């Protein structure tokens, strides 16, 4: 394969970025799935390292890994009901266990249970009309050269051949893959150490439409704030990834008591939309592959809400710089329209301050009912509102404010970046 230098590569990738990313920017919301041998222990996907479990003992878990029939269908079905549009599965986490039928190591699902679990996942995504993402950990605790690669050139060569071979299999054997989601580029500190430029050129040759995240020590297509929802600089694609309990990505039954409620997820989604970014919400299925009970109800509630309010979420969004405007909720924007997601209903009247653009109309997104308003200086007063929030699903009522042009707000220069979590 003929390789090009970094500048040329980046220019070529930039050129196709808008076209490649269109679906992703509009899709907004996806499901992350962390599933592997660590799920059998149920105390975080880092359990091998955290509890100093020797690798030969850890490897024995493979013998106990007996997932039920086609669990990925249940994840995909839930993702669909939750209003999500894509999925990302840990094909290999730091533990090194490969969920696919790899020819490069015996430490894989085919040997453990006679199944290619990545193939099952891909089939499920396609069945439910979801785009397909592969998470792949560069860091590998199982490979004999996974740490020696940092100081021994021969070990590094062997390890990189393994990493690149694995990525090649994933990019070659499952049809069209939409997202490659690298993780933890340790212990090598530079993209040259990882040969990321060559690896990602290979990926793009095999999968011309693919999106690649920013964790191979190259910026590539999008940023990945983790554990908090915070916008990247304008123009840059970003996707916040969040656990379901602020404690573990992998299955952890004892953390279920800290599971997010629907309104927590709504706040994350609202913040992602305000910054025109994406939200990748994680579930950690049980060793058998069951979706954790605590995730089903909250995700489905948000999905029900999205069925009615999707206009404020899906599709290309702008970035309204209106953070300080109201304590009652946050905005998303499409052209002349602002969608005000009212989280804390103020009652019969609602005041929105700081607007410098003329308001044309105000209405409820779901019922379409017009709202009487008055605009005085920078102030918009919405009148004769219901006493209680009309939204009974999660208590988020969306009001559509249509202006004569894209709205300008007084706080535009001074509004701090909105964040949730972290
Ligand atoms: C991290 C963790 C990991 C998790 C990932 C998700 O870097 O090491 O366990 O898979 O973040 O973003």
């Amino acid at each position: 394969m003929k390789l090009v230098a970094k500048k040329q590569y980046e220019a070529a990738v930039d050129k196709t970025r808008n076209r490649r990313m269109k679906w992703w920017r509009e899709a907004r919301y996806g499901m992350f799935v962390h599933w592997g041998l660590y799920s059998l222990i149920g105390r975080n996907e880092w359990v091998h390292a955290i509890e100093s479990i020797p690798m030969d003992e850890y490897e024995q878990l493979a013998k106990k890994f007996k997932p039920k029939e086609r669990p990925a269908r249940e994840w995909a079905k839930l993702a669909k009901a939750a209003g999500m549009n894509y999925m990302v599965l840990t094909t290999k986490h730091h533990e090194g266990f490969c969920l696919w039928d790899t020819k490069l190591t015996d430490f894989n699902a085919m040997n453990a249970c006679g199944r290619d679990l990545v193939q099952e996942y891909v089939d499920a995504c396609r069945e439910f009309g979801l785009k397909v993402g592969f998470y792949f950990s560069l860091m590998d605790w199982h490979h004999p050269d996974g740490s020696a690669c940092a100081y021994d050139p021969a070990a590094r060569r062997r390890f990189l051949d393994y990493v690149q071979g694995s990525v090649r299999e994933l990019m070659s054997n499952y049809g069209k893959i939409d997202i490659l989601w690298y993780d933890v580029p340790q212990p090598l500190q530079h993209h040259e150490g990882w040969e990321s430029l060559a690896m990602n050129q290979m990926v793009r040759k095999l999968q011309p439409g693919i999106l690649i995240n920013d964790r191979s020590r190259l910026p590539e297509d999008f940023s990945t704030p983790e554990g908090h929802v915070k916008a990247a600089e304008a123009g840059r694609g970003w996707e916040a990834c969040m656990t379901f309990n602020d404690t573990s990505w992998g299955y952890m039954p004892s953390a279920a008591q800290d599971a997010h409620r629907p309104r927590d997820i709504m706040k994350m989604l609202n913040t992602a939309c305000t910054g025109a970014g994406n939200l990748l919400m994680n579930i950690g299925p049980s060793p058998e592959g069951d979706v954790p009970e605590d995730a089903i109800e909250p995700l489905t509630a948000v999905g029900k809400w999205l069925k009615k309010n999707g206009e404020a979420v899906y599709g290309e969004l702008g970035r309204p710089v209106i953070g300080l405007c109201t304590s009652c909720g946050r905005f998303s924007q499409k052209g002349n329209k602002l969608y005000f997601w009212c989280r804390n209903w103020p009652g019969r009247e609602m005041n929105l301050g700081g607007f410098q653009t003329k308001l044309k109309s105000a209405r409820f997104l779901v019922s379409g009912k017009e709202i009487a308003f008055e605009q005085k200086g920078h102030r918009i007063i919405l009148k004769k509102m219901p006493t209680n929030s009309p939204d009974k699903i999660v208590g988020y009522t969306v009001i559509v404010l249509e202006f004569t042009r894209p709205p300008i707000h007084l706080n535009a220069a001074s509004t701090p970046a909105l964040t949730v979590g972290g």
Side-chain angles (χ1 to χ4, degrees):
M1 190 174 76
K2 204 176 149 284
L3 293 176
V4 299
K6 187 158 180 286
K7 262 210 165 120
Q8 252 176 300
Y9 169 71
E10 287 180 342
V13 171
D14 280 354
K15 230 175 151 179
T16 59
R17 180 162 295 125
N18 281 341
R19 181 163 47 75
R20 284 182 295 108
M21 290 193 78
K22 188 175 184 309
W23 74 262
W24 185 87
R25 292 204 173 108
E26 297 180 354
R28 190 77 50 218
Y29 188 29
M31 177 182 274
F32 212 172
V33 181
H34 275 69
W35 196 46
L37 298 184
Y38 46 81
S39 313
L40 286 151
I41 300 180
R43 289 190 302 274
N44 193 293
E45 72 288 351
W46 274 69
V47 66
H48 158 75
I50 295 171
E51 300 184 6
S52 304
I53 304 175
M55 199 28 106
D56 53 352
E57 185 185 324
Y58 191 91
E59 275 178 350
Q60 302 307 311
L61 290 169
K63 295 189 184 137
K64 296 195 203 145
F65 192 53
K66 305 272 175 245
K68 67 180 196 182
E69 217 178 300
R70 314 263 325 260
R73 283 195 82 250
E74 288 173 29
W75 315 336
K77 196 171 169 202
L78 176 63
K80 200 71 194 173
M84 294 160 160
N85 289 309
Y86 61 101
M87 295 183 72
V88 179
L89 168 71
T90 51
T91 61
K92 183 196 80 166
H93 203 263
H94 315 333
E95 63 178 6
F97 183 72
C98 299
L99 292 184
W100 76 99
D101 182 11
T102 175
K103 301 290 173 262
L104 303 175
T105 173
D106 291 339
F107 197 41
N108 70 56
M110 209 63 190
N111 276 339
C113 60
R115 288 154 62 183
D116 185 330
L117 298 168
V118 168
Q119 183 67 62
E120 292 185 15
Y121 157 77
V122 171
D123 291 345
C125 290
R126 301 222 167 99
E127 181 185 343
F128 287 89
L130 298 157
K131 299 273 189 186
V132 185
F134 285 172
Y135 164 110
F136 179 85
S137 173
L138 291 167
M139 180 164 80
D140 192 314
W141 296 323
H142 183 264
H143 193 281
D145 299 311
S147 58
C149 64
Y151 48 84
D152 173 351
R156 188 173 77 95
R157 187 66 266 146
R158 286 191 299 268
F159 184 54
L160 290 187
D161 287 347
Y162 175 68
V163 166
Q164 290 163 16
S166 305
V167 171
R168 179 183 286 280
E169 284 183 347
L170 288 169
M171 295 296 112
S172 306
N173 299 346
Y174 301 93
K176 186 169 184 293
I177 302 308
D178 302 293
I179 302 164
L180 176 56
W181 215 102
Y182 288 119
D183 196 18
V184 186
Q186 292 288 1
L188 304 169
Q189 300 305 314
H190 196 271
H191 73 82
E192 283 172 7
W194 284 108
E195 299 179 353
S196 303
L197 206 49
M199 180 162 65
N200 293 350
Q201 287 182 57
M202 169 206 34
V203 167
R204 293 189 189 279
K205 189 136 198 279
L206 294 166
Q207 297 283 345
I210 204 161
L211 307 183
I212 303 179
N213 77 347
D214 63 347
R215 296 194 183 181
S216 62
R217 301 210 184 279
L218 287 174
E220 293 290 355
D221 293 317
F222 63 94
S223 304
T224 53
E226 176 177 320
H228 63 281
V229 186
K230 183 165 187 249
E233 68 274 15
R236 169 84 174 157
W238 64 279
E239 177 197 65
C241 51
M242 301 295 280
T243 64
F244 215 85
N245 45 40
D246 291 334
T247 301
S248 178
W249 297 90
Y251 181 60
M252 183 158 164
S254 64
Q257 57 195 328
D258 299 320
H260 292 306
R261 298 162 307 139
R263 283 172 65 81
D264 301 328
I265 302 170
M266 287 299 301
K267 198 174 206 173
M268 297 174 203
L269 194 59
N270 193 181
T271 310
C273 289
T274 296
N278 284 21
L279 177 64
L280 188 63
M281 195 68 223
N282 183 71
I283 61 162
S286 75
E288 297 73 35
D290 287 314
V291 176
E293 225 16 72
D294 48 285
I296 297 174
E297 193 269 326
L299 289 178
T300 312
V302 174
K304 268 192 195 145
W305 183 91
L306 278 164
K307 261 213 163 76
K308 298 185 162 187
N309 294 275
E311 185 188 321
V313 175
Y314 307 121
E316 185 98 24
L317 294 176
R319 295 194 13 155
V321 200
I322 306 177
L324 296 176
C325 174
T326 161
S327 52
C328 295
R330 296 171 178 182
F331 297 85
S332 55
Q333 180 190 5
K334 280 182 185 168
N336 294 358
K337 286 185 198 156
L338 274 187
Y339 298 90
F340 177 56
W341 305 34
C342 188
R343 175 183 172 88
N344 301 97
W345 194 257
R348 303 277 297 161
E349 201 173 281
M350 187 181 295
N351 285 272
L352 304 168
F355 285 94
Q356 295 183 299
T357 317
K358 198 168 167 339
L359 184 65
K360 245 171 67 180
S361 70
R363 63 178 169 84
F364 290 104
L365 176 61
V366 172
S367 67
K369 227 178 128 209
E370 293 280 331
I371 302 169
F373 69 89
E374 207 180 317
Q375 193 167 17
K376 285 189 199 159
H378 296 144
R379 195 169 174 213
I380 292 171
I381 308 166
L382 303 179
K383 299 181 160 182
K384 296 187 193 152
M385 307 267 281
T387 315
N388 299 310
S389 176
D391 179 62
K392 300 298 173 223
I393 306 172
V394 288
Y396 265 77
T397 295
V398 176
I399 292 171
V400 189
L401 302 168
E402 189 165 355
F403 293 84
T404 49
R405 59 192 169 89
I408 298 176
H409 193 267
L410 271 183
N411 290 325
S414 60
T415 305
L418 289 177
T419 308
V420 172

